[in-house]
Amino acid sequence: MTAVAALADYAPRYRVQIGEPEGSEWLPVDHLLEPGSPELTELLKRDDEASCHRTAHANALSMLSFYAGRAPATALLLWALEGRVLDIRPQNLWVRPHEGHGIAAVAVRSADFLPGGLETLYDVVLRQHLLPLAEELHRRTRAGVRQVYGGVAAGCAMGFCAATREEVTVEPAYLLERWRTFVANAPGGLARLGEVEVADGKLVYLRNTCCLYYTSETGKGTLCGSCCLTPRDERLTAYNTGRPILTV
């Protein structure tokens, strides 16, 4: 089993199909990032149908958080564990939309690694991928730049946090240190948009921006577990006591 395939044992979000996929349901990420792309329109449409958002910018924020927490997750965990950067440049990456929220599957052309370390990771995950996607959503929907970057930060954080939540886990303290290394100088000012903490033996993300989930028909006024509209101590207490909460 390759290192890439083995990461699926930590959580489903790290599962990646190796090889160029076939079928019209797969969306090439380099096409997704083109201005006005029909592929991005399709992702927004699916998320809106799943949640019945009241506004276009709430739809954008919801879609981006789910997407950012799924598409680059394997690359983020591989870097955290091994210091290597999986080649998920847009031209090598495909995503298959879920029937409802987010991404059902991710594929890469081959399980190749790029030379370099953290700066390379910033380049392939943020500069070439998630930040341009966030900026396109800002242009399309007028969602605030800070809000869409907040969705990027939350999704990236879940790339680290999810590996502490399943039966096969990574030590939370180690992944917390790796997250702090990643976010400290991340492009887009991600360090200011939220923080990762340990709660109930797991890593959780506390947002400093709002995803507007509570405005959707699905949310029905409910704040997600990481929402900045809830005081920090209350969020940590909810995680520590196991109270049902919603996370991206």
Side-chain angles (χ1 to χ4, degrees):
M1 180 181 290
T2 68
V4 174
L7 292 189
D9 292 339
Y10 292 106
R13 74 178 62 229
Y14 304 114
R15 185 172 291 112
V16 174
Q17 177 177 319
I18 308 300
E20 185 170 342
E22 297 181 355
S24 60
E25 70 275 16
W26 287 92
L27 307 178
V29 170
D30 55 347
H31 292 183
L32 185 74
L33 298 178
E34 294 173 355
S37 75
E39 290 85 358
L40 183 54
T41 299
E42 177 65 16
L43 285 183
L44 288 167
K45 177 176 178 290
R46 287 172 181 258
D47 193 82
D48 188 46
E49 290 174 347
S51 292
C52 299
H53 296 284
R54 296 179 188 174
T55 64
H57 61 276
N59 181 17
L61 296 174
S62 173
M63 189 281 292
L64 182 58
S65 290
F66 281 103
Y67 180 94
R70 179 69 174 87
T74 300
L76 291 169
L77 185 58
L78 269 170
W79 172 82
L81 296 178
E82 302 182 10
R84 296 192 292 170
V85 179
L86 181 66
D87 186 358
I88 61 162
R89 290 175 294 178
Q91 64 269 29
N92 294 324
L93 188 66
W94 289 259
V95 294
R96 179 164 58 83
H98 196 278
E99 291 182 1
H101 291 297
I103 302 302
V106 176
V108 293
R109 192 183 307 277
S110 59
D112 294 330
F113 296 92
L114 296 170
L118 185 54
E119 280 299 322
T120 302
L121 186 72
Y122 287 156
D123 195 44
V124 300
V125 170
L126 295 173
R127 296 189 186 99
Q128 293 190 40
H129 189 177
L130 295 181
L131 296 182
L133 177 59
E135 288 156 10
E136 175 62 14
L137 289 168
H138 163 66
R139 286 190 292 270
R140 283 192 182 211
T141 69
R142 298 186 180 180
V145 172
R146 187 172 184 273
Q147 282 183 295
V148 290
Y149 278 20
V152 169
C156 287
M158 287 308 302
F160 292 77
C161 295
T164 69
R165 297 183 177 185
E166 305 291 333
E167 291 184 7
V168 180
T169 64
V170 183
E171 175 60 39
Y174 173 78
L175 280 183
L176 177 59
E177 182 275 328
R178 295 300 277 164
W179 161 257
R180 289 175 175 169
T181 298
F182 168 79
V183 80
N185 297 301
L190 303 192
R192 300 190 302 271
L193 303 177
E195 57 185 317
V196 170
E197 295 288 350
V198 179
D200 192 28
K202 302 176 178 63
L203 294 185
V204 299
Y205 188 64
L206 305 177
R207 299 179 64 129
N208 290 339
T209 65
C210 182
C211 67
L212 300 179
Y213 173 78
Y214 70 94
T215 70
S216 68
E217 180 62 28
T218 301
K220 297 184 184 301
T222 301
L223 299 177
C224 72
S226 61
C227 186
C228 62
L229 300 179
T230 302
R232 184 181 186 279
D233 289 347
E234 290 183 23
R235 284 179 277 170
L236 285 175
T237 297
Y239 282 115
N240 279 315
T241 59
R243 191 185 74 194
I245 51 179
L246 297 165
T247 59
V248 298

